[in-house]
């Protein structure tokens, strides 16, 4: 974390005239704080969670199909920064939206931008709640130059029978002598990591509205202090549903037994 974010949710809302984005817009930018453990409020199991400082995110621009952009999208900003860190065109965009200079600007596609206006603010309150499933997108950690065993999960060559320093080599590259070249897409050693990655269907375990923190089950892409984008999941199941077990007793055939144990009901003549 290079610099703490000075502006709080209350300050940004005050600067923007306390205008909130529509509740139908379910996406927010955040900063990955780190990982910890909390007890799940439903089953009281201990969960490994990632803590994300989410929002506030002012809306800097709204793109529509009817405009010259040709598609529907919303530009969000996150993380106040100094003016000297941004270019003059960017400062002009921030001034037009009526917000302070921001460190991160990301664009989110939407199906219908109706009700969204420049200057509105997306906050954690009302966007996500405990039990929701979300998708988290970020830039994963860079690993540098990596071999094929680390990069592509190669098994490696045998370490016996006279093999010398060949255990981690990739093996043969070309397919046949007549081809005379290596085919495109051949898995080889190279740069690993530092790519945009999405983790799908993560459960929201806890939400701290006072501090603007959201606790997500499991790991999310990126290092501590990295920018992540949290969306509503693309999967059909959007939130957690708890299965309630029935207290009624049933026999082997699945028939409900009232006042008797399943064994005695199945064998009426059995000795007690």
């Amino acid at each position: 974390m290079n610099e703490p974010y000075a502006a709080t949710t209350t300050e940004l809302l005050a600067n923007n005239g306390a205008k909130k984005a529509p509740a139908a817009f379910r996406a927010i930018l955040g900063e990955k704080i780190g990982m910890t453990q909390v007890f799940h409020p439903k089953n009281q199991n201990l969960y490994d969670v990632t803590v994300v400082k989410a929002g506030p995110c002012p809306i800097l621009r709204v793109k529509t199909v009817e405009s010259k952009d040709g598609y529907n999208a919303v530009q969000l900003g996150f993380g106040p920064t100094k003016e000297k860190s941004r270019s003059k065109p960017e400062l002009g965009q921030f001034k037009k939206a009526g917000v302070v200079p921001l460190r991160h600007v990301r664009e989110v596609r939407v199906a219908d931008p109706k009700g969204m206006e420049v200057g509105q603010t997306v906050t954690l309150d009302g966007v996500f709640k405990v039990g929701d499933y979300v998708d988290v997108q970020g830039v994963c950690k860079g690993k540098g130059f990596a071999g094929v065993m680390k990069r592509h999960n190669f098994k490696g060559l045998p370490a016996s029978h006279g093999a010398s320093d060949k255990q981690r080599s990739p093996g043969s590259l070309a397919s046949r002598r007549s081809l005379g070249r290596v085919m495109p897409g051949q898995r080889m050693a190279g740069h690993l990591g530092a790519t945009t990655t999405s983790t799908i269907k993560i459960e929201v375990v806890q939400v701290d509205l006072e501090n603007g923190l959201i606790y997500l089950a499991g790991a999310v892409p990126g290092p501590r202090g990295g920018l992540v984008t949290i969306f509503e999941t693309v999967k059909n199941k959007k939130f957690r549903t708890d299965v309630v077990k029935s207290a009624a007793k049933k026999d082997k055939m699945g028939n409900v037994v009232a006042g008797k144990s399943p064994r005695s009901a199945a064998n009426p003549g059995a000795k007690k």
Side-chain angles (χ1 to χ4, degrees):
M1 197 184 311
N2 299 327
E3 178 182 338
Y5 296 152
T8 61
T9 304
T10 306
E11 292 172 356
L12 276 175
L13 286 176
N15 295 336
N16 295 343
K19 294 188 296 183
K20 275 192 173 184
F25 182 72
R26 305 197 65 191
I28 194 169
L29 305 181
E31 176 196 9
K32 181 177 176 180
I33 303 299
M35 295 195 70
T36 184
Q37 291 180 325
V38 297
F39 287 98
H40 198 284
K42 295 288 185 181
N43 52 26
Q44 296 302 316
N45 290 335
L46 192 61
Y47 273 54
D48 296 326
V49 296
T50 301
V51 185
V52 177
K53 170 70 175 176
C57 301
I59 295 180
L60 305 178
R61 184 177 176 183
V62 179
K63 298 182 179 181
T64 60
V65 177
E66 294 78 12
S67 65
K68 62 180 180 180
D69 300 302
Y71 62 96
N72 295 329
V74 176
Q75 280 189 358
L76 300 178
F78 175 71
T81 186
K82 298 178 181 178
E83 288 190 10
K84 66 178 184 179
S85 301
R86 312 307 297 176
S87 64
K88 287 187 177 181
E90 291 173 332
L91 292 176
Q93 185 179 7
F94 297 140
K95 184 177 180 181
K96 184 178 180 180
V99 299
V100 297
L102 301 171
R103 181 176 304 168
H104 304 289
V105 177
R106 292 293 183 272
E107 187 172 283
V108 179
R109 291 290 190 104
V110 293
D112 184 10
K114 184 178 180 181
M116 299 179 186
E117 301 175 359
V118 174
Q120 292 178 341
T121 302
V122 181
T123 61
L124 192 57
D125 185 14
V127 178
F128 299 112
K129 61 182 183 301
V130 176
D132 287 345
Y133 288 129
V134 297
D135 298 339
V136 183
Q137 185 182 84
V139 179
C140 63
K141 294 181 181 180
K143 306 294 184 179
F145 191 91
V148 291
M149 292 184 69
K150 183 176 182 179
R151 192 184 187 202
H152 299 295
N153 299 317
F154 276 23
K155 181 180 178 181
L157 298 181
S160 60
H161 298 289
S164 176
D165 300 330
K166 296 294 292 180
Q167 292 90 334
R168 303 185 68 87
S169 65
S172 177
L173 297 180
S175 58
R176 58 185 66 88
R177 185 177 64 177
S178 60
L179 196 63
R181 65 188 179 94
V182 178
M183 294 295 291
Q186 175 69 32
R187 293 180 297 173
M188 302 171 67
H191 187 269
L192 175 63
T195 57
T196 302
T197 309
S198 298
T199 304
I200 307 299
K201 198 177 178 183
I202 300 180
E203 182 183 352
V204 178
V205 177
Q206 188 175 327
V207 177
D208 185 357
L209 297 178
E210 184 178 354
N211 298 313
L213 301 178
I214 183 170
Y215 296 75
L216 305 174
V220 302
R224 287 189 297 269
L227 178 70
V228 295
T229 308
I230 305 175
F231 309 92
E232 182 184 32
T233 184
V234 296
K235 298 296 183 179
N236 293 330
K237 193 174 181 180
K238 305 296 184 182
F239 52 88
R240 170 178 175 154
T241 54
D242 295 322
V243 178
V244 179
K245 294 184 179 180
S246 176
K249 295 182 179 180
K250 295 183 180 180
D251 58 13
K252 293 181 179 179
M253 303 301 295
N255 301 317
V256 178
V257 180
K260 295 182 180 181
S261 63
R263 182 175 181 181
S264 61
N267 304 307
K271 295 182 180 180
K272 295 183 179 180

